Amino acid sequence: MRPWKLAETNYGSVKQQQYEVAVLPFGATEPHNLHLPYSIDTIEGNLIGEKICEAAHDRGAKVVLLPTVPYGTQTNQMEFPFAMNLNPSTLGRVIADLVESLVRTGIRKVLLLNSHGGNEFKSVLRELYGRTEAHLFLCNWYTIFDDVYDEIFEKRDDHAGEMETSIALAYCPELVGRNPDGTLTADEAETAETRFEAVNRGWVGITRPWHLLTTNAGAADPHAATAEKGRRLMEVLIERLAGFLVELSESEVDERFPY
Ligand SMILES: [Zn+2]
């Protein structure tokens, strides 16, 4: 039993522990090209949550990892089967309710650990600010290693590409679809451009209709993925996020927190 993982621990143990920080991961249930499992974002939330909480706990942090929310926002993927949508407003209500449960437990520091690009939670932080006793922190973990990305990977990832497939090969290889010769069952994941230069260059944003953007839901070429690359990335994530959890755990919530 790992005392920092709520799903494994029991009330007898919880009564003995003192927790300062809760980590709440968010995943999704959606297709990822032809080769990755529908739950890969949820698996990543569990996995990264476990790795960073374990490392932080070993360094003295009073941290607890909550079960991952397995559904996310999929409004732009609904042309694919079993893209299981929770609207942004629904997810906002879920977060508010869970944060309130943590406040009732006495926890004032909460990290939302997000694995899914369709989940945009900054607006939830803004809406809850001043209305909850908890201090909310948000990490979209796939955005925090841009400075070392090209040292580890060959091609940029968007969805189900080299980065995400490398994590799967490292930590759940039995769930990665492969041909008899070992190659991925994925397609090349070519993506379409819109008819507008301003949109294609990012000057103007849209929510991308996934069935028009992609062929089989993959939005980045995964074929250069390796387990070794997945493990290297995990080291970076652990170093960056476990360190934060230790600092957060030790930090006193005073009137100038977090400054
Ligand atoms: Zn994903």
Side-chain angles (χ1 to χ4, degrees), residues 30 32 40-41 44 115 159 164:
E30 59 173 359
H32 277 76
I40 188 66
D41 289 8
E44 290 159 357
S115 287
H159 178 73
E164 206 162 20

Side-chain angles (χ1 to χ4, degrees), residues 28 30-32 36-42 44 115-117 141-142 157-161 163-164:
E30 59 173 359
H32 277 76
L36 290 182
Y38 266 68
S39 275
I40 188 66
D41 289 8
T42 306
E44 290 159 357
S115 287
H116 173 54
W141 62 260
Y142 46 86
D157 200 348
D158 182 347
H159 178 73
M163 182 274 289
E164 206 162 20

Side-chain angles (χ1 to χ4, degrees), residues 16-190:
Q16 313 289 330
Q17 303 282 331
Q18 208 196 334
Y19 296 109
E20 283 282 327
V21 179
V23 176
L24 176 55
F26 288 81
T29 301
E30 59 173 359
H32 277 76
N33 204 324
L34 299 169
H35 67 298
L36 290 182
Y38 266 68
S39 275
I40 188 66
D41 289 8
T42 306
I43 291 169
E44 290 159 357
N46 282 329
L47 176 72
I48 295 165
E50 286 189 5
K51 296 280 186 192
I52 65 175
C53 286
E54 179 176 39
H57 175 85
D58 289 349
R59 287 154 61 178
K62 295 170 181 155
V63 63
V64 62
L65 176 68
L66 298 172
T68 302
V69 176
Y71 302 114
T73 296
Q74 307 293 152
T75 48
N76 59 334
Q77 286 214 348
M78 299 297 278
E79 295 298 317
F80 290 97
F82 297 112
M84 303 303 290
N85 178 57
L86 291 179
N87 283 326
S89 54
T90 311
L91 270 172
R93 298 285 301 272
V94 168
I95 293 171
D97 286 356
L98 294 177
V99 165
E100 210 42 46
S101 306
L102 291 169
V103 168
R104 292 287 298 269
T105 299
I107 287 181
R108 295 289 179 273
K109 303 170 219 169
V110 180
L111 174 64
L112 308 180
L113 180 67
N114 178 38
S115 287
H116 173 54
N119 292 341
E120 289 176 9
F121 294 154
K122 190 64 178 285
S123 62
V124 181
L125 270 64
R126 293 189 194 280
E127 187 156 342
L128 292 182
Y129 183 81
R131 293 171 50 188
T132 174
E133 288 175 43
H135 293 268
L136 298 183
F137 295 82
L138 170 63
C139 176
N140 298 310
W141 62 260
Y142 46 86
T143 66
I144 70 165
F145 46 89
D146 209 49
D147 53 326
V148 295
Y149 191 96
D150 296 330
E151 292 169 25
I152 303 174
F153 301 106
E154 290 171 34
K155 293 185 177 173
R156 289 274 153 176
D157 200 348
D158 182 347
H159 178 73
E162 182 183 347
M163 182 274 289
E164 206 162 20
T165 303
S166 293
I167 293 177
L169 288 172
Y171 298 101
C172 54
E174 71 285 0
L175 298 180
V176 179
R178 276 184 272 199
N179 298 308
D181 67 358
T183 57
L184 300 170
T185 56
D187 71 14
E188 304 302 318
E190 293 213 5

Side-chain angles (χ1 to χ4, degrees), residues 237-257:
L237 294 174
I238 292 170
E239 179 197 315
R240 294 184 176 186
L241 294 177
F244 168 68
L245 290 176
V246 171
E247 287 177 20
L248 187 58
S249 174
E250 290 170 355
S251 180
E252 191 189 335
V253 179
D254 55 24
E255 60 280 2
R256 282 190 51 79
F257 184 89

